[in-house]
Amino acid sequence: MTIINWGLLGPDKLESERRTRTLGLAVAVRTFNDLAVPNLGGVKFSKNVFLACLGIHVAEKVRLEGKQVSNIQVANAIEALGCILSFEKNNWQSDERLRGNSKLAGAKDLSYKVVGANNYYVTQPMRMATVQLLPGLGLVESQGERFNSYSLNDNGLKLVIAGCANLKCHNSSIVNFLVKWVLGNHRNPRVSGLIQALAPIYSLAADATAILKDRLVSGNDESALRRRNALTWVSNINTNPCINWRKPSELTDLHFKDIKSGAYFFILRDSVMMLLDAIETAVANEKSGSLDLRKGTPLDLQNALTRVKSAATSFVNLSHDPTPDKLALSFARECLQSQDELIILSVVERDNLVLKVRDKAVIKGSAFGGVQQDASDAGETESLFPKGVSFRFRNLYLLNIDFNVQPNMWLNKKEKADE
């Protein structure tokens, strides 16, 4: 049984959904991420893909037995069970491959009735990161990207079979045990075979990993070519870091231009987020609870505004915007208006959640409540990739380590960085 201690990797920092600012840029964000590493979604680890496919497969079998369950209900329950079994093995240490360190603590009753109950598990399970990847890599049949509508195809079934090969739970196959578990069987799931199959801290079987990697790199279309080239790039990134925008030989010219344009866009977006944080602080400090821009722009906002205008100028000067209807370019131009007050009003109107505009003044929105500092979890990869590059490259970097079962390469560097 192979266990990899990734405890040094902290859990994802998930911002409260109530305060999530999209700024009307969701289409542009999705476009740049898809152009960087098509169809990867938010996946970092192969076990997450396997667990999602396993959940769909078990749900299909349970429905054949006459019990009405959704793919989401069953997949979430199986993921929650896998996390509990992992935490019990690692003494409830935080781990980037797990969710629910606090919410699942003290779990004793591991029946499906309990583990599959609404609100038992986290609100953002790892399954959500697979929604784009599953149809994109041809592991499910679907009509869009709704997890409950997915049905496992031959590729997905092969992944499930390979991931469960040679593993048993109470003399049943992993799939059959889980079907019985969902149907109400109360036999103890704390069995080594099931733990090996479900626990994200244990590596996915080599044959299953090979199937997933093949789905990632196979194909002759542009998306498959970009995924192959991106995987080759991240495979070589430790010996050939790319931090100065010198084009790597592994990438095509257009792919590299799209990646660079995306990075400059993300830097601009993040600088606008920092400006909004500064505006929120200014509003909080006003006794009236509003910031009247007719009185001029507060000096406290000047540094943030300068960063926004600099980032916007850099994006415009690239002269490359692959987003639909030039959405990113329009956003950049909004950030280069002639008056600072107009820039502030534009970005606040895009927010319209934490802050709002009323009569040339910035007022508190429904999600107002203090600035939240969002610490980056990019860590050591910041010294490997150019600033602002799509988060999917970091995820692909981790996935490649997972493919090759080389955790020490990451952990040794993290240990030195944390000393």
Side-chain angles (χ1 to χ4, degrees):
M1 184 179 290
T2 304
I3 183 168
I4 305 170
N5 179 16
W6 293 61
L8 291 174
L9 291 174
D12 282 344
K13 309 279 192 304
L14 296 175
E15 185 178 10
S16 169
E17 186 176 358
R18 186 179 68 87
R19 283 182 55 93
T20 299
R21 286 167 159 151
T22 64
L23 306 184
L25 298 173
V27 172
V29 170
R30 173 72 176 259
T31 297
F32 280 123
N33 286 327
D34 281 344
L35 288 171
V37 189
N39 303 125
L40 186 65
V43 169
K44 304 175 186 179
F45 304 109
S46 55
K47 199 65 170 280
N48 299 151
V49 181
F50 162 75
L51 289 175
C53 289
L54 179 63
I56 293 169
H57 186 49
V58 171
E60 289 174 334
K61 284 186 167 292
V62 170
R63 288 193 290 269
L64 289 176
E65 294 292 328
K67 182 173 182 176
Q68 291 304 306
V69 293
S70 71
N71 291 347
I72 288 177
Q73 288 173 324
V74 175
N76 284 359
I78 290 174
E79 181 181 312
L81 179 59
C83 286
I84 293 169
L85 296 174
S86 295
F87 283 129
E88 289 181 345
K89 285 292 182 180
N90 78 356
N91 295 316
W92 294 89
Q93 296 178 38
S94 295
D95 188 300
E96 189 166 3
R97 295 162 299 172
L98 304 176
R99 293 282 187 276
N101 177 272
S102 298
K103 193 161 190 180
L104 300 175
K108 290 183 174 58
D109 184 348
L110 299 189
S111 66
Y112 176 78
K113 182 179 180 180
V114 172
V115 178
N118 290 337
N119 302 318
Y120 179 83
Y121 188 39
V122 296
T123 58
Q124 296 189 13
M126 295 175 286
R127 169 196 58 77
M128 293 173 65
T130 71
V131 170
Q132 185 187 13
L133 179 144
L134 295 177
L137 299 192
L139 295 169
V140 298
E141 301 300 328
S142 67
Q143 299 293 326
E145 291 184 359
R146 291 180 58 251
F147 193 85
N148 275 338
S149 72
Y150 293 172
S151 60
L152 220 58
N153 61 21
D154 288 344
N155 295 320
L157 183 58
K158 288 176 182 176
L159 179 64
V160 169
I161 291 172
C164 297
N166 303 317
L167 297 174
K168 297 282 186 179
C169 184
H170 297 298
N171 295 319
S172 291
S173 71
I174 298 301
V175 170
N176 285 343
F177 176 84
L178 289 171
V179 169
K180 294 173 185 176
W181 179 66
V182 176
L183 289 172
N185 187 292
H186 285 269
R187 297 198 74 178
N188 184 11
R190 293 179 173 93
V191 176
S192 61
L194 191 68
I195 296 170
Q196 173 71 15
L198 302 191
I201 60 171
Y202 293 107
S203 56
L204 185 63
D207 287 348
T209 299
I211 291 171
L212 179 57
K213 185 175 181 180
D214 180 69
R215 298 310 307 168
L216 185 71
V217 301
S218 63
N220 297 312
D221 60 2
E222 178 66 17
S223 292
L225 175 64
R226 289 193 174 206
R227 287 195 301 271
R228 274 198 303 275
N229 290 346
L231 185 61
T232 303
W233 183 35
V234 301
S235 298
N236 299 328
I237 200 73
N238 283 291
T239 53
N240 296 296
C242 176
I243 56 176
N244 59 358
W245 289 114
R246 182 176 181 179
K247 190 186 86 64
S249 60
E250 297 91 343
L251 304 177
T252 65
D253 288 343
L254 180 58
H255 192 184
F256 186 67
K257 285 182 179 179
D258 290 340
I259 293 168
K260 186 174 183 178
S261 179
Y264 277 42
F265 166 78
F266 290 130
I267 291 170
L268 170 58
R269 180 201 59 181
D270 292 347
S271 69
V272 169
M273 294 293 195
M274 288 189 285
L275 171 59
L276 287 167
D277 284 347
I279 297 169
E280 185 176 2
T281 299
V283 170
N285 291 334
E286 289 287 336
K287 291 182 180 180
S288 63
S290 68
L291 185 64
D292 190 347
L293 296 176
R294 289 169 295 192
K295 298 178 181 178
T297 304
L299 292 177
D300 292 345
L301 304 183
Q302 289 302 323
N303 288 339
L305 279 163
T306 298
R307 285 192 293 267
V308 167
K309 287 184 276 191
S310 175
T313 299
S314 295
F315 181 84
V316 170
N317 288 344
L318 281 178
S319 300
H320 183 73
D321 179 11
T323 61
D325 300 321
K326 306 294 182 185
L327 291 172
L329 184 60
S330 295
F331 176 57
R333 286 174 173 162
E334 284 182 32
C335 297
L336 289 172
Q337 295 178 82
S338 58
Q339 298 178 39
D340 290 346
E341 291 81 359
L342 296 177
I343 297 173
I344 292 171
L345 290 172
S346 290
V347 299
V348 171
E349 284 175 347
R350 280 183 171 273
D351 173 21
N352 203 39
L353 177 68
V354 178
L355 300 167
K356 292 178 178 290
V357 173
R358 179 187 294 168
D359 298 329
K360 300 287 186 179
V362 179
I363 63 173
K364 299 175 182 179
S366 60
F368 188 91
V371 177
Q372 296 181 357
Q373 296 299 324
D374 184 22
S376 170
D377 65 351
E380 184 261 340
T381 56
E382 290 181 341
S383 63
L384 300 176
F385 295 104
K387 182 180 178 182
V389 74
S390 169
F391 77 98
R392 289 191 184 182
F393 284 109
R394 176 185 182 268
N395 287 0
L396 188 62
Y397 176 83
L398 293 176
L399 187 61
N400 184 58
I401 294 174
D402 198 23
F403 283 158
N404 294 288
V405 194
Q406 296 173 332
N408 290 336
M409 178 178 69
W410 176 266
L411 288 173
N412 289 341
K413 292 182 179 180
K414 286 291 292 179
E415 285 169 354
K416 291 178 182 177
D418 293 339
E419 287 176 353

